[in-house]
């Protein structure tokens, strides 16, 4: 691939992008959430399994349903975020493989695996998709506040009851208040984190 993203694009996605906890009072339209998902879904997953399932928590009623699931440190920023994406994972992702990977019987590769193995595969691939989602959100002008710090079982009961979907992580979405950001934390340098073999 000969084309590369220019510095402005790299700044938007990586160098200037930050994790936000304080939000401006600006709504996030459903049309924009659709646009972000339509970009994120294009990222690769194992056998194109696409196990990520999402609930966009926007309404006051849905926010109140989410509130008791949150650790105390995450309540205020989540209640004030214009939208919160529950990034979930479909543990029975193999049921969609005839549609998503039609040129082989990929369902047979996974359907008889133990539940803990299926959950591990779904976790890895939905985490990949969640990362694509955050990059897509940034590319479309949204700020992100990804987090753990919630009770998975409570979220699953409140939002995924009766399904084989389990929560992975949450991501608040909106337009962050840059004046409330802390200085950027350090990152490991190449020689600290990488080897050439």
């Amino acid at each position: 691939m000969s084309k590369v993203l220019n510095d402005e694009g790299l700044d938007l996605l990586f160098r200037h992008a930050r994790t936000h906890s304080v939000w401006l009072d600006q709504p996030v339209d459903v049309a924009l959430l659709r646009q972000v998902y339509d970009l994120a879904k294009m990222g690769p997953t194992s056998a194109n399994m696409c196990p990520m399932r999402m609930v966009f928590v926007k309404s006051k009623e849905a926010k109140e349903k989410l509130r008791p699931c949150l650790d105390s440190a995450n309540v205020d920023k989540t209640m004030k975020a214009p939208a919160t994406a529950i990034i979930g994972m479909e543990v029975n992702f193999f049921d969609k493989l005839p549609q998503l990977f039609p040129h082989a019987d990929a369902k047979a590769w996974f359907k008889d695996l133990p539940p803990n193995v299926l959950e591990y595969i779904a976790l890895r691939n939905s985490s990949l998709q969640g990362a694509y989602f955050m990059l897509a959100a940034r590319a479309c002008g949204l700020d992100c506040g990804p987090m753990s710090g919630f009770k998975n079982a409570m979220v699953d009961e409140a939002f995924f009851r009766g399904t084989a979907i389990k929560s992975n992580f949450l991501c608040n979405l909106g337009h962050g208040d840059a004046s409330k950001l802390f200085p950027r934390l350090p990152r490991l340098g190449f020689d600290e984190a990488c080897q050439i073999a």
Side-chain angles (χ1 to χ4, degrees):
M1 184 179 261
S2 59
K3 295 183 179 179
V4 297
L5 204 59
N6 64 22
D7 275 339
E8 185 179 10
L10 293 171
D11 286 345
L12 179 68
L13 296 182
F14 297 103
R15 294 189 288 238
H16 294 170
R18 299 291 305 279
T19 295
H20 283 266
S21 298
V22 181
W23 304 97
L24 301 176
D25 187 18
Q26 298 176 12
V28 173
D29 293 333
V30 172
L32 181 55
L33 296 175
R34 287 181 176 275
Q35 181 184 0
V36 172
Y37 174 77
D38 283 340
L39 287 172
K41 72 182 182 184
M42 303 309 293
T45 54
S46 301
N48 198 38
M49 64 179 56
C50 303
M52 181 176 70
R53 303 292 184 269
M54 303 177 74
V55 173
F56 292 106
V57 180
K58 285 177 50 72
S59 71
K60 182 172 175 42
E61 296 77 19
K63 287 275 188 175
E64 289 304 319
K65 192 159 91 168
L66 182 59
R67 180 192 293 270
C69 308
L70 300 168
D71 289 359
S72 60
N74 290 332
V75 171
D76 190 55
K77 60 186 171 185
T78 302
M79 292 301 107
K80 291 180 179 173
T84 301
I86 303 172
I87 312 293
M89 55 181 179
E90 170 62 72
V91 178
N92 292 340
F93 58 84
F94 52 81
D95 285 333
K96 293 285 188 186
L97 287 176
Q99 171 188 346
L100 296 171
F101 204 81
H103 55 283
D105 184 12
K107 182 175 181 176
W109 304 342
F110 298 101
K111 67 181 179 64
D112 296 323
L113 293 175
N116 65 315
V117 175
L118 290 170
E119 189 167 328
Y120 175 79
I121 294 168
L123 179 66
R124 180 176 63 242
N125 285 278
S126 67
S127 296
L128 279 173
Q129 288 189 284
Y132 304 144
F133 176 80
M134 290 188 293
L135 289 174
R138 289 172 171 179
C140 291
L142 291 174
D143 292 308
C144 299
M147 60 187 173
S148 299
F150 66 98
K151 300 166 188 71
N152 291 76
M154 286 182 69
V155 167
D156 296 349
E157 176 65 19
F159 292 93
F160 299 126
R161 184 184 334 175
T163 73
I165 301 171
K166 295 187 175 189
S167 53
N168 184 343
F169 68 96
L170 306 180
C171 186
N172 289 326
L173 298 163
H175 298 91
D177 184 347
S179 72
K180 300 293 193 299
L181 288 170
F182 296 105
R184 184 185 286 281
L185 294 172
R187 303 295 197 270
L188 295 176
F190 184 91
D191 292 333
E192 294 176 280
C194 307
Q195 297 180 42
I196 305 294

